[in-house]
Amino acid sequence: MNKTIAIVEDERDIVDLITLHLERNGFRVLSYSDGASFLESLKGESPSLLLLDLMLPDMDGFEICKTLRRGEEGSSLPIIMLTARGEETDRVLGLELGADDYVTKPFSPRELVARVKAVLRRQEGNRERGSLSLRDGLLTIDTLRYKVLVEGRTVELTATEFKLLKLLVKKRGWVFPREKILDYLWGDEKTVFDRTVDVHIKHLREKLGPAGDLIKNVRGVGYKVEE
Ligand code: CA
């Protein structure tokens, strides 16, 4: 069966362009011009991927992202953000926690289709393996069993450390500012300070031993994982 791609975008010509190219590549396309109608559609549809515009008439793309990630439907739906040049790109690049990738307008449809396929492939790979591995197996995260292995040996992490590590590893190469990490770990209930993130990172690095240096400090910004 053809995979379904959902598009949330209020600019008709962009929707038409993307639809044309995705259908040519064998995808089924559902498009929505605002966030509410898309979220409503999830009661009946379960798309394989979402192309999400940031600037929408009712709610912005970030809001939709957050809503999806919090709920049951769509919490693991891969998302590619469509952003306008300059304005949101930087934020999306490193800061937004919910999206899997982004493309900047104006984009080439061919590139967009390639990104869609890449994200779907990655998603399938992760689902099959249920694990993420770095530096030839130095560090492995078994996301199904909530286990972390360094050089094949199990490392005991707290739930918070596990969540933090999974975030950084899943989006490796992306820089996460302390504030976004706090948001991700504690959401609206956060009563902790920026320094809390540093403390968790410190413990995490110690526990990871030889794999600890995979977590890099980005001066003045936050943290990232890089191979
Ligand atoms: Ca728009």
Side-chain angles (χ1 to χ4, degrees), residues 67-82:
T67 308
L68 282 177
R69 293 312 187 222
R70 274 193 206 125
E72 294 203 345
E73 291 144 348
S75 63
S76 60
L77 174 65
I79 300 172
I80 299 179
M81 290 267 195
L82 308 175

Side-chain angles (χ1 to χ4, degrees), residues 9-11 53 55-56 105:
E9 163 67 277
D10 56 326
E11 285 161 76
D53 184 32
M55 309 289 259
L56 293 164
K105 292 178 190 172

Side-chain angles (χ1 to χ4, degrees), residues 35-126:
S37 58
F38 164 69
L39 292 172
E40 180 66 24
S41 79
L42 289 178
K43 288 175 185 162
E45 294 282 350
S46 30
S48 300
L49 184 140
L50 169 64
L51 294 171
L52 180 59
D53 184 32
L54 276 186
M55 309 289 259
L56 293 164
D58 54 348
M59 51 179 105
D60 71 22
F62 290 113
E63 210 47 58
I64 296 176
C65 236
K66 273 195 197 164
T67 308
L68 282 177
R69 293 312 187 222
R70 274 193 206 125
E72 294 203 345
E73 291 144 348
S75 63
S76 60
L77 174 65
I79 300 172
I80 299 179
M81 290 267 195
L82 308 175
T83 79
R85 188 177 291 279
E87 51 183 344
E88 304 282 6
T89 309
D90 290 348
R91 278 171 65 197
V92 176
L93 237 181
L95 319 192
E96 180 49 49
L97 305 174
D100 295 85
D101 201 357
Y102 74 99
V103 287
T104 307
K105 292 178 190 172
F107 49 80
S108 101
R110 199 177 290 181
E111 191 204 336
L112 182 71
V113 171
R115 297 280 190 97
V116 165
K117 288 181 177 171
V119 169
L120 287 173
R121 260 199 312 274
R122 208 189 313 155
Q123 166 95 350
E124 256 157 39
N126 287 345

Side-chain angles (χ1 to χ4, degrees), residues 7 9-19 29-33:
I7 307 174
E9 163 67 277
D10 56 326
E11 285 161 76
R12 196 64 239 172
D13 48 347
I14 295 183
V15 172
D16 290 345
L17 184 71
I18 298 174
T19 303
V29 179
L30 299 170
S31 63
Y32 308 90
S33 56

